[in-house]
Amino acid sequence: MRNATATPALPLGDDALILSHRLGEWAGNAPVLEEEVALANIALDLLGQARVLLSLAGDEDELAYLREERQFRNLQLVEQPNGDFAHTIARQLYFSTYQELLFEHLATTESELAPLAAKAVKEVAYHRDHAHQWTLRLGDGTDESRVRMQRALDALWRFTGEMFEPVEGLETVPWPALHDSWATRITHTLEQATLTIPDGPRRGGWTAGTGRQGLHTESFGRMLAEMQHLHRSHPGATW
Amino acid sequence: MVTTTALEAELLALAGSVPDPELPVLTLAELGVLRGVQLTAPGRAEVLLTPTYTGCPAIEAMSADIEQVLHDHGIPEVEVRTVLSPPWTTDAITAEGRRKLAEFGIAPPRPTGPAGGPVAVDLTLRCPHCGSTDTTLLSRFSSTACKALRRCESCREPFDHFKEL
């Protein structure tokens, strides 16, 4: 395996890969058929992005299937379990808003990530719109949907600070400005959805570390075991 | 800019005539995904192909079909390379391609706005079956990543819309 940590394609590729896998877990379980198809399509977009990014970092299959938990550099946010539908939508809202802003910036740079960013940002605009529309429906919906949406936003809030920690190799990204744009967009959506902006710690000494450093939360190991087990059980197998 | 030879133009036309594996009414040329064909040595061609969506699974079938068609035309070595830049947009679908989509029952994409702008999903779209503009969005994602699912309120038929990218 090449020195995969040298390129920022690895952390961004890991974000896309892990979120893609999580969304894929909805197949057969989504509340309605249209959502099943929507979540699978979003997962497919992310998988496509992951393949391009991980191929920039090394061999895509080796990187996806043969690394250990601590070698993954994805955000802790994307590895969080699907929870109820509101949790999945909150995770989508936080992440797609971040990814769209980051890719918008990267698309304008000379980075090797620019072609992928320019391509993917158009796909991510649909992901963000999907999450935005659902946040409005659930937040401004029934009493039950409103409670659940707020609960999901609050629960995942503590994983959002990590998104704006500088990433090695992405020195041109204006992280504080990216954060401000993110906060503005999230605030706009939540206000429109008559929801409350969560408040609480998002970074600092309370946390054991970040996904970008290879430190992950409890459920990630189990997810990896499922994602990797076929490839590890049958090395070199092909269709 | 590399000058295109007559043979390269012929090969480009051949590769462009390959039907899209998921939308067989369209050719790759009409879909606008073919970026060029170059002879890098006698008997060796390089084909540049761009995906509609980054994760589009049809790209592998497209590559195999292009290789086959060029092999059959006497080119033993064919390499299909995927290029991302500049990104494909639905504006690359030709007028003939749009006409065929509508005929096939898929509402063609509208011209796109500037990149990074809001996603326009609420503007009126015409039903490909009855022509009514009274249609509503059922889901932003449909049978493939590139389509949205809509329903016509006049004839009550659901239909796919090739959404703008």
Side-chain angles (χ1 to χ4, degrees):
Chain A
M1 197 178 298
R2 290 200 335 230
N3 180 14
T5 52
T7 165
L10 187 75
L12 303 193
D14 284 348
D15 284 348
L17 175 70
I18 300 306
L19 185 56
S20 170
H21 188 86
R22 278 294 187 211
L23 291 172
E25 292 173 354
W26 274 108
N29 297 302
V32 289
L33 183 62
E34 286 80 1
E35 273 318 296
E36 177 130 342
V37 172
L39 294 171
N41 269 313
I42 295 171
L44 183 62
D45 283 346
L46 290 165
L47 189 62
Q49 296 166 16
R51 293 189 62 182
V52 173
L53 288 164
L54 293 183
S55 295
L56 289 172
D59 180 274
E60 53 174 328
D61 286 336
E62 278 183 28
L63 288 171
Y65 295 122
L66 298 176
R67 273 183 300 161
E68 305 289 336
E69 184 179 338
R70 289 215 168 184
Q71 294 174 297
F72 278 83
R73 292 289 179 270
N74 56 280
L75 296 165
Q76 292 179 354
L77 174 69
V78 298
E79 75 202 26
Q80 294 311 306
N82 287 335
D84 62 10
F85 188 66
H87 273 79
T88 291
I89 293 301
R91 193 181 59 197
Q92 284 303 107
L93 182 72
Y94 289 158
F95 181 75
S96 60
T97 304
Y98 160 80
Q99 202 189 24
E100 186 180 23
L101 287 163
L102 181 58
F103 283 179
E104 270 173 12
H105 170 79
L106 292 176
T108 65
T109 64
E110 299 291 313
S111 154
E112 63 171 350
L113 308 185
L116 181 269
K119 172 95 193 138
V121 72
K122 301 198 290 176
E123 300 164 0
V124 176
Y126 278 103
H127 305 173
R128 198 246 308 144
D129 184 58
H130 172 260
H132 169 80
Q133 299 293 343
W134 267 113
T135 304
L136 300 188
R137 279 179 74 177
L138 296 174
D140 200 11
T142 64
D143 289 344
E144 175 73 7
S145 73
R146 179 189 169 72
V147 166
R148 288 203 190 201
M149 192 65 222
Q150 188 67 54
R151 190 189 297 153
L153 291 163
D154 292 345
L156 293 173
W157 186 246
R158 66 194 180 99
F159 298 106
T160 57
E162 186 188 359
M163 297 194 285
F164 307 99
E165 301 282 342
V167 174
E168 198 185 331
L170 294 183
E171 279 72 26
T172 67
V173 177
W175 295 103
L178 201 75
H179 171 265
D180 292 348
S181 305
W182 181 88
T184 304
R185 290 190 187 186
I186 296 294
T187 302
H188 173 74
T189 297
L190 299 193
E191 280 176 353
Q192 232 187 313
T194 70
L195 291 160
T196 310
I197 321 296
D199 94 63
R202 297 171 65 201
R203 62 178 83 198
W206 65 275
T207 167
T210 68
R212 294 283 189 240
Q213 301 165 328
L215 295 169
H216 297 281
T217 51
E218 188 183 347
S219 62
F220 185 56
R222 290 196 291 276
M223 196 213 91
L224 266 195
E226 184 171 315
M227 188 179 96
Q228 296 184 333
H229 118 264
L230 190 68
H231 188 92
R232 287 180 184 264
S233 305
H234 303 276
T238 55
W239 289 104
Chain B
M1 188 70 198
V2 185
T3 324
T4 308
T5 66
L7 179 55
E8 284 170 340
E10 192 183 332
L11 296 178
L12 182 66
L14 266 175
S17 69
V18 168
D20 178 273
E22 286 185 18
L23 295 164
V25 289
L26 286 193
T27 65
L28 298 189
E30 286 161 350
L31 189 60
V33 291
L34 209 53
R35 288 278 161 86
V37 176
Q38 214 188 327
L39 281 168
T40 50
R44 186 190 298 168
E46 183 184 69
V47 181
L48 299 181
L49 190 65
T50 194
T52 53
Y53 280 69
T54 320
C56 182
I59 199 96
E60 285 171 25
M62 287 180 190
S63 301
D65 291 349
I66 292 172
E67 283 173 26
Q68 190 58 49
V69 115
L70 297 193
H71 285 323
D72 292 349
H73 199 68
I75 307 292
E77 280 184 69
V78 180
E79 191 199 355
V80 181
R81 279 210 301 130
T82 304
V83 291
L84 293 179
S85 187
W88 181 84
T89 141
T90 39
D91 293 341
I93 301 177
T94 64
E96 176 65 4
R98 282 159 202 271
R99 194 191 60 74
K100 287 185 179 174
L101 276 177
E103 201 177 86
F104 191 57
I106 298 172
R110 295 156 296 188
T112 60
V119 178
V121 287
D122 293 319
L123 297 177
T124 308
L125 266 159
R126 197 172 284 280
C127 169
H129 305 297
C130 73
S132 166
T133 53
D134 186 12
T135 67
T136 49
L137 179 71
L138 293 181
S139 177
R140 277 162 188 74
F141 300 88
S142 185
S143 54
T144 62
C146 56
K147 296 189 225 99
L149 184 64
R150 298 184 72 90
R151 180 177 55 211
C152 175
E153 301 299 345
S154 297
C155 71
R156 305 298 293 167
E157 285 290 327
F159 64 92
D160 268 340
H161 163 223
F162 203 121
K163 67 193 179 203
E164 294 74 26
L165 191 72

